[in-house]
Amino acid sequence: MTIPFELPEEDRELSPHTGYTRAHWEAVADGLLGAAWRWATPEGAFLDLPGRPSGSGVRSDGLEGYARTFLAAGFRVAGADGKDPHGWLERYARGLAAGTRTPGRDDAESWPLILDHHVQGQPMVESASVALGLKLTRPWLWDRLDGDVQDGAEKWLRGAINHTPAPNNWYLFPFMVASFLEEVGRGDAATARAMERALDLMETWYRGDGWYADGDGRAFDHYNGWALHLYPVLHAHLSGDAALSARFGPRLREHLEGFSLLFGGDGAPIHFGRSLAYRFAASAAVGAGAVTGHTPLSPGASRRLISGNLRYFLERGALTDDGLLSLGWHGPHDATLQHYSGPASPYWASKGFVALLAPEDDPLWTAPEEAMPSEGPDRVLALPAPGLLVQSTQADGIVRLHNHGSDHVRPHEGEFADQNDAHYGRQAYSTHTGPTSLTNAADNHLSVEVGGVASVRRRLHPLGAGQGDGWGWAASWYRPVFVSGPPMVPGLLVESVTVARGAYELRVHRVAGAPHGARATLTGWATEKLRSELRGLHGWGEADRVRAPQGTAYEPWVRMPRLSAEVEGTAVLAALAALSEDDVALADAVAETTLTEDGLTVRWSDGFRTVVTFGETLSVQGD
């Protein structure tokens, strides 16, 4: 793919893996900003990028264009110690003055008011980007504004503090607004409450292993990196708050121990969770760790990861011919989007430029690139707190994420199949494949069919996760729900176990309470470019391949392997799956599978033995 703006020459001596240097990051930031500003209103309060509007409407979308690109400009200029060769900050200062002069008016420049999240919520999201941009650039922008402009901006920003956020990472938006207002001497009891409330919630959402839930439920996804870790750690770093750094920094370090493995050898992040159109924002936590020192990665490994992530998208069509970030993954892709996605939404990718806060003489930019975690030996990593199992293979650079703990069902919600979310409900995700659309057959999914209606997987209940030498496991249970007819079958539940070894995935399911005439199906990875294999070991009958004509974010048309079996009452089903560039010979991997009253025993061809025991307490052992 041709990148529609000029980049410096590659430096393969300093950056043998990617060729990218700090100058490349600056050039990409400038290129993205230049392309976006072509769509600004006369005074620069809105950047009305072309494309389908979000559910919040075009005025909110235009504010989003201003605020999210301001993040890129803020990191770009702050990292250069105020040097602003393209005059970005002058434009943002002019737009801030115009947007906050008479907010709420229906004219060409006035920003929408910040109201409660369920009324007109999106401007609250953007207020955090405006506040962080102002915090980053204070000496060169805020401190040079007239007093009446500062007053107007404060009044608009306080809408975030005075209204109710969504019950998740949104509480960090008024937190960032309060952080900025307190820094510039405009704090009060309200700003103090906003900060205390967010920090208190962070404690209730922290579940361990460096992972936060995005709210009171069990949503674990990329919001951990580009929001839940980023805002508190950046606030502490920029404000010089040693106590908060000591509190949140070690959590970021622990998060990166596992999260840094979730990038493939080609630079791709794991395709999992919502808001994937933010693309290289996925590496924001890695950049923040490098900038603040809260990272287990060496500077060379950190740069290899973030630059590989940036280059991955630039070279795969993420930019339009005009240099704008499109709504999608590689290029435009509707199934990747949410209702809140608008033309400027992808510019939360600007968070990836947090790495520019490291000055040009920082080891992040001067140390030679080193291999990142997924480029080392094959690894299996269990993350019990979020209920995730990570599996990477060096030969093909593929990273797989087996999901036994993250869903997108909020505590107050019931379970309905028409709320099914392909970005959480599948059993496995990877850096090289995406989920199929909701209107096609589901990939990586165990479905129980009753009366010809297939079930979906919604609320997950983790049963544990662990690892041994070269292998690991994770397990969960769920109640299948149905899109038509009764939403649930009384007593029907599914217990699922994934055991990862090398490139192999042992998938064991125990279906309980299946009514007469029920049928179970299991699908594998959806791809045509790679090898996707699925072999029944116990309980499965028919094997075939099913097509998904709408494709995925990676391929326009895909197929996946499928196993089927009649089930009634209780049934234990075992299969071996693999995703790889080459044939991994599933037929030769397992020597024997045995089901007894004590559980399922799988004896591998190399002599290794896996024992899965169901009962009151599920256990997985390997020897």
Side-chain angles (χ1 to χ4, degrees), residues 563-613:
L563 300 173
S564 305
E566 302 295 329
V567 292
E568 184 172 354
T570 298
V572 175
L573 307 164
L576 199 61
L579 172 69
S580 64
E581 285 189 347
D582 301 311
D583 186 358
V584 293
L586 292 190
D588 300 327
V590 170
E592 184 181 21
T593 304
T594 306
L595 179 67
T596 67
E597 290 185 0
D598 296 328
L600 184 81
T601 299
V602 175
R603 186 167 61 83
W604 300 75
S605 297
D606 61 3
F608 188 81
R609 191 175 63 135
T610 299
V611 179
V612 179
T613 303

Side-chain angles (χ1 to χ4, degrees), residues 534-538 540 563 574-576:
L534 186 64
R535 176 175 177 249
L537 298 179
H538 180 85
W540 291 110
L563 300 173
L576 199 61

Side-chain angles (χ1 to χ4, degrees), residues 41 76 111 158 178 186 192 229 262 288 294 300 322 340 391 428 440 450 471 476 478 577-578:
T41 51
R76 167 72 170 96
W111 286 351
R158 279 189 174 273
R186 293 172 178 251
H229 280 290
L262 292 174
H294 299 300
D322 294 330
Y340 54 76
Q391 175 188 19
N440 283 186
V450 178
W471 70 283
S476 59
Y478 69 96

Side-chain angles (χ1 to χ4, degrees), residues 38-313:
R38 297 184 193 126
W39 302 93
T41 51
E43 293 186 71
F46 295 104
L47 272 63
D48 292 321
L49 306 185
R52 66 160 233 194
S54 73
S56 297
V58 295
R59 294 187 69 81
S60 177
D61 294 345
L63 169 62
E64 194 170 65
Y66 173 96
R68 299 190 177 197
T69 59
F70 187 23
L71 273 181
F75 290 130
R76 167 72 170 96
V77 176
D81 197 25
K83 297 182 181 68
D84 186 9
H86 299 280
W88 300 127
L89 296 193
E90 181 180 347
R91 304 188 194 196
Y92 286 100
R94 189 170 67 251
L96 179 72
T100 59
R101 188 180 300 128
T102 54
R105 288 184 55 179
D106 186 15
D107 58 29
E109 304 288 347
S110 296
W111 286 351
L113 296 171
I114 302 171
L115 303 176
D116 294 337
H117 77 94
H118 58 282
V119 178
Q120 186 179 325
Q122 192 63 32
M124 186 182 293
V125 182
E126 309 321 317
S127 71
S129 294
V130 173
L132 180 52
L134 292 172
K135 190 178 182 78
L136 290 165
T137 62
R138 177 186 173 183
W140 314 290
L141 198 164
W142 178 264
D143 289 349
R144 299 180 183 182
L145 294 175
D146 293 339
D148 59 341
V149 176
Q150 292 180 340
D151 292 343
E154 178 191 351
K155 183 178 180 181
W156 181 80
L157 285 167
R158 279 189 174 273
I161 295 173
N162 298 331
H163 289 87
T164 304
N168 54 18
N169 69 88
W170 277 45
Y171 274 84
L172 290 170
F173 304 148
F175 170 87
M176 282 310 305
V177 169
S179 168
F180 168 68
L181 292 178
E182 293 205 346
E183 178 180 313
V184 296
R186 293 172 178 251
D188 55 18
T191 59
R193 282 195 301 270
M195 297 190 72
E196 182 180 4
R197 175 62 170 154
L199 295 175
D200 287 346
L201 285 171
M202 293 291 286
E203 295 308 305
T204 70
W205 295 339
Y206 186 66
R207 305 299 172 83
D209 296 335
W211 287 81
Y212 294 94
D214 188 13
D216 291 341
R218 289 198 57 85
F220 301 98
D221 51 30
H222 284 291
Y223 277 84
N224 263 268
W226 60 44
L228 293 160
H229 280 290
L230 185 69
Y231 288 120
V233 169
L234 263 190
H235 159 77
H237 176 70
L238 296 173
S239 303
D241 191 326
L244 276 184
S245 289
R247 177 173 160 189
F248 289 102
R251 294 179 184 175
L252 174 58
R253 176 184 290 270
E254 187 174 9
H255 178 66
L256 293 177
E257 289 278 6
F259 181 72
S260 62
L261 186 60
L262 292 174
F263 292 81
D266 58 3
I270 202 81
H271 194 90
F272 172 66
R274 64 190 179 96
S275 301
L276 294 172
Y278 301 163
R279 294 183 173 101
F280 50 87
S283 68
V286 179
V291 166
T292 62
H294 299 300
T295 180
L297 302 174
S298 68
S302 292
R303 188 172 81 258
R304 189 274 177 268
L305 195 158
I306 63 173
S307 291
N309 187 218
L310 177 65
R311 182 164 187 157
Y312 174 84
F313 287 110

Side-chain angles (χ1 to χ4, degrees), residues 524-574:
W525 298 96
T527 180
E528 286 293 287
K529 294 180 181 178
L530 300 171
R531 294 297 301 269
S532 173
E533 301 176 57
L534 186 64
R535 176 175 177 249
L537 298 179
H538 180 85
W540 291 110
E542 181 183 350
D544 63 358
R545 298 185 74 84
V546 59
R547 67 189 184 280
Q550 284 184 274
T552 69
Y554 293 78
E555 302 175 57
W557 191 94
V558 294
R559 290 181 300 171
M560 69 203 86
R562 179 175 63 181
L563 300 173
S564 305
E566 302 295 329
V567 292
E568 184 172 354
T570 298
V572 175
L573 307 164

